[in-house]
Amino acid sequence: VLIVIGIAYIYFDTFLVQKTISGKFTSDSDTQYLSFDFKSRDSVVVYDIYADSVFTAKYVIEGEMIKLKQQENTILMIRDNQTLVGEGFTKGVYNKN
């Protein structure tokens, strides 16, 4: 019975509960994107340090992964509510301010 309850909880937490993210996340690493400021349900303001510009993009959350719609290769993994881990151009650790 405990195994069934455990599996049901993991399934519920992974597939049925929609993840959300909000606030500003910055990196101390030498990355292309210095910060991500999640404003609304699907909008994020990104500061690009190499181009010295700021742009707004739409994003989707798929499981533990955040994908920017404008740039499909921009992927962030949600470690917890305070930390995002970037891959590819966003490689680095982003902490919530």
Side-chain angles (χ1 to χ4, degrees):
V1 172
L2 292 175
I3 293 172
V4 172
I5 291 172
I7 292 171
Y9 174 76
I10 291 171
Y11 177 79
F12 175 77
D13 188 47
T14 304
F15 298 109
L16 299 180
V17 176
Q18 178 65 31
K19 301 280 184 186
T20 58
I21 194 91
S22 65
K24 187 172 185 176
F25 291 81
T26 58
S27 176
D28 294 334
S29 308
D30 183 25
T31 61
Q32 180 174 356
Y33 301 124
L34 182 63
S35 68
F36 294 91
D37 192 359
F38 294 90
K39 295 288 186 183
S40 67
R41 187 174 177 170
D42 66 347
S43 178
V44 61
V45 177
V46 182
Y47 179 65
D48 185 339
I49 195 165
Y50 293 154
D52 194 28
S53 65
V54 177
F55 64 92
T56 302
K58 300 287 183 186
Y59 69 92
V60 294
I61 298 177
E62 298 174 357
E64 299 293 320
M65 190 180 321
I66 301 171
K67 292 182 179 180
L68 269 61
K69 289 185 178 181
Q70 263 181 318
Q71 301 167 338
E72 293 296 324
N73 58 350
T74 304
I75 298 172
L76 296 165
M77 302 298 289
I78 302 171
R79 181 179 292 166
D80 56 41
N81 290 339
Q82 301 295 316
T83 310
L84 302 175
V85 177
E87 296 181 358
F89 288 114
T90 60
K91 188 172 186 173
V93 176
Y94 296 85
N95 296 307
K96 189 170 187 176
N97 291 353

